Amino acid sequence: MSSLDEKGRIAANKSLDQMTLVDMDVIGCPFPAYEKLRHEAPVFKDPAGFYVVSRYDDIYKALKDTATFSSDSLVPREEYTRPTQYGGLEQVDTMITSDPPKHRYLRGPLNKLFSLSRVNQMEAYVQQIVDELIDSFIDDGHCDFVKQYTVPLPMYVIADQLGVPRADLASFSRWSDAFATLVSGFASEDDKIYAAKQIVEMQEYFLKVIPGKRKNPTDDVISDLIQAKMEDGQPMRDVDILSSIHLLLTAGNETTTNSMSLAMRALIENPAQMQALRDDPSLIDGFVEESLRFDGPVQGLMRRATRDTEIAGVQIPKDSLVNLRFGSGNRDETKYPTPEEFDVCRKHQVTHLAFGQGTHVCLGASLARKEINLTFATILRRMRNIRLVNPNSEHVYERNIALRCLKHLQIAFDKA
Ligand code: HEM
């Protein structure tokens, strides 16, 4: 057991009145704390100011009940206007912060762009990026898997889908990180100001791109957004398009990056599972689902109670923030036998909550699955003896209660 896991276990041994999700030891390894909460306080009032829901069935029910558990507070609303203080436009709701029926209009135009059939057509193109990135470090015998692979891959894919140059990757990365900070649960006043400035920079960048695409639409997401109609039959305004672009940049990057970093960590720490996958490559789909269940990048997201309500017998007053812990539901022993085991042959993994469920279920799930699948199928073909460069050093995670973000993963390998 790593020292990080050990610290997570110690944190979970604290009494409930000393427990909080914003404890860095819990963030480093949240699973023992989740187990305690599921058993002792499945709906827990965190001293940080929100309720934590940790059992699979309770999370699932809340996700399906959008009338009671609204998404309108997923991003703190006071942050919508902050960009205007720095010369930018006010941010507006996107699908992820909207409830039905408005949600349908905001999601509709983008649905088909990331459908399974469209993603299947993208396979050769994604495979090419996968190979190019691996080519860039395979002769070195080592790499920072995060910096050199899992960050650029989804970023290139989204940049191409938006129809903007990959050369601007560093900017996309900053804009995407700005959003991650806002949902981290740790954003200081300085962080919020920094995030607002990044959003303004992003707005200025895309406001230069939109007029050209309005005049000469091309086969990309921005052109599709320009042609989409809102609930009143009117085209999307620039602010709607900008907020949707920001959502895609952020929802599709940080998540896919971390899903692959965490999957690599799980494989290295479970060599028998890595061998099973090498021996039978047809297990790859099961591996993708199991890695998302076992250690997914979205640990939990906020909802707001629209009325006085109750979950598992605990009263929740109107306007309370409720944090649905997907990462805990995915380790719920009533749903998954031996949940702490990483098992690529596990049955029914696809029920996991890593992509959410219901109205807001991940729009990019097919694309993310394709990227993870091609990544590991290729890596297992091209690399042998994959290992950590420093097996005894601690993994470092960002301070973030919503997303599980591994900062680096130094790996070594032999070229196959
Ligand atoms: C492994 C990678 C990914 C994971 C784990 C993930 C996870 C999630 C989760 C948990 C939600 C539900 C949010 C909620 O219930 O409030 C979500 C929604 C969403 N995701 Fe993903 N995501 C991933 C990749 C992507 C990609 C690649 C894209 C875009 C290309 C994307 C775009 C979206 C969008 C637009 C939503 C909002 C859907 C809605 O509100 O209707 N995601 N994602």
Side-chain angles (χ1 to χ4, degrees):
M1 183 189 291
S2 78
S3 60
L4 210 58
D5 296 346
E6 182 57 27
K7 284 183 198 163
R9 207 157 284 288
I10 293 169
N13 279 334
K14 289 181 186 167
S15 61
L16 278 176
D17 57 7
Q18 289 183 311
M19 187 170 274
T20 171
L21 285 190
V22 300
D23 177 342
M24 273 312 284
D25 289 343
V26 173
I27 287 175
C29 179
F31 306 109
Y34 291 163
E35 187 181 356
K36 182 182 178 96
L37 291 180
R38 284 194 305 273
H39 290 118
E40 296 178 25
V43 181
F44 170 66
K45 181 85 193 282
D46 194 294
F50 46 81
Y51 289 84
V52 178
V53 182
S54 53
R55 286 187 185 164
Y56 184 101
D57 287 342
D58 295 329
I59 298 167
Y60 187 88
K61 261 191 239 156
L63 285 173
K64 296 277 175 170
D65 184 359
T66 54
T68 311
F69 297 100
S70 168
S71 289
D72 68 2
S73 300
L74 198 112
V75 179
R77 292 199 86 75
E78 58 277 16
E79 298 312 319
Y80 282 39
T81 49
R82 202 185 288 262
T84 60
Q85 297 170 26
Y86 303 97
L89 299 168
E90 181 173 343
Q91 295 225 279
V92 295
D93 278 318
T94 61
M95 68 183 98
I96 207 164
T97 51
S98 302
D99 301 318
K102 185 175 180 191
H103 172 267
R104 203 172 50 243
Y105 291 97
L106 292 167
R107 180 160 172 143
L110 289 167
N111 249 338
K112 64 174 194 309
L113 298 172
F114 298 101
S115 66
L116 181 58
S117 62
R118 186 150 191 286
V119 167
N120 281 338
Q121 290 166 21
M122 290 165 67
E123 179 157 336
Y125 146 80
V126 177
Q127 180 68 54
Q128 194 184 340
I129 307 178
V130 166
D131 279 319
E132 282 170 12
L133 284 171
I134 296 176
D135 287 345
S136 72
F137 56 71
I138 191 152
D139 289 329
D140 300 338
H142 61 88
C143 69
D144 179 347
F145 189 57
V146 175
K147 201 165 144 231
Q148 292 174 261
Y149 188 87
T150 66
V151 168
L153 174 70
M155 208 71 96
Y156 285 167
V157 173
I158 285 290
D160 292 350
Q161 295 309 301
L162 290 171
V164 291
R166 288 185 195 171
D168 297 331
L169 184 138
S171 307
F172 301 154
S173 186
R174 268 187 288 111
W175 303 334
S176 171
D177 289 349
F179 177 84
T181 308
L182 289 182
V183 296
S184 70
F186 288 98
S188 65
E189 193 58 14
D190 283 351
D191 292 335
K192 289 174 185 170
I193 292 170
Y194 175 78
K197 289 180 177 169
Q198 294 308 310
I199 289 167
V200 174
E201 204 185 284
M202 185 214 73
Q203 291 176 340
E204 285 166 356
Y205 178 97
F206 284 105
L207 278 173
K208 288 194 196 116
V209 174
I210 292 171
K213 296 212 182 270
R214 222 184 265 289
K215 234 184 191 167
N216 298 309
T218 34
D219 181 19
D220 55 51
V221 172
I222 299 182
S223 302
D224 281 300
L225 286 170
I226 288 168
Q227 285 158 43
K229 295 270 184 290
M230 295 291 276
E231 56 201 306
D232 53 7
Q234 294 299 310
M236 281 190 173
R237 300 161 302 167
D238 282 354
V239 281
D240 299 308
I241 296 173
L242 287 172
S243 292
S244 287
I245 292 171
H246 191 209
L247 171 64
L248 289 178
L249 271 179
T250 52
N253 280 330
E254 210 74 52
T255 48
T256 315
T257 291
N258 284 293
S259 65
M260 294 185 291
S261 311
L262 295 165
M264 178 60 97
R265 182 188 163 185
L267 260 192
I268 293 176
E269 290 179 353
N270 293 275
Q273 297 295 307
M274 174 128 61
Q275 193 55 47
L277 207 50
R278 284 191 190 284
D279 294 344
D280 181 0
S282 75
L283 294 175
I284 190 89
D285 289 338
F287 156 73
V288 173
E289 301 309 322
E290 177 66 349
S291 62
L292 288 162
R293 179 201 71 81
F294 183 74
D295 200 356
V298 184
Q299 285 296 305
L301 292 174
M302 289 296 184
R303 295 294 193 261
R304 180 184 63 84
T306 56
R307 58 178 175 85
D308 288 349
T309 184
E310 164 272 316
I311 304 178
V314 175
Q315 297 303 314
I316 300 189
K318 180 174 187 292
D319 288 332
S320 302
L321 289 177
V322 179
N323 195 284
L324 304 176
R325 288 320 276 176
F326 304 136
S328 175
N330 284 339
R331 298 266 186 135
D332 189 328
E333 36 294 282
T334 64
K335 188 81 187 169
Y336 304 104
T338 59
E340 310 302 328
E341 276 174 27
F342 179 70
D343 175 5
V344 298
C345 296
R346 186 181 288 279
K347 301 266 176 295
H348 312 302
Q349 304 123 319
V350 86
T351 54
H352 64 68
L353 299 168
F355 290 119
Q357 289 279 351
T359 306
H360 293 279
V361 70
C362 179
L363 180 92
S366 299
L367 177 58
R369 285 183 163 116
K370 182 67 77 192
E371 290 179 43
I372 307 170
N373 184 313
L374 294 177
T375 289
F376 285 92
T378 311
I379 282 178
L380 291 174
R381 229 178 19 250
R382 300 187 61 186
M383 297 177 191
R384 300 269 146 206
N385 190 20
I386 304 171
R387 57 206 183 271
L388 295 177
V389 171
N390 301 308
N392 297 324
S393 72
E394 255 184 20
H395 297 292
V396 181
Y397 292 88
E398 301 281 356
R399 271 159 54 99
N400 195 317
I401 59 161
L403 305 173
R404 189 152 156 81
C405 309
L406 199 49
K407 281 193 184 177
H408 299 280
L409 192 65
Q410 303 287 350
I411 60 168
F413 46 80
D414 304 328
K415 193 171 164 179

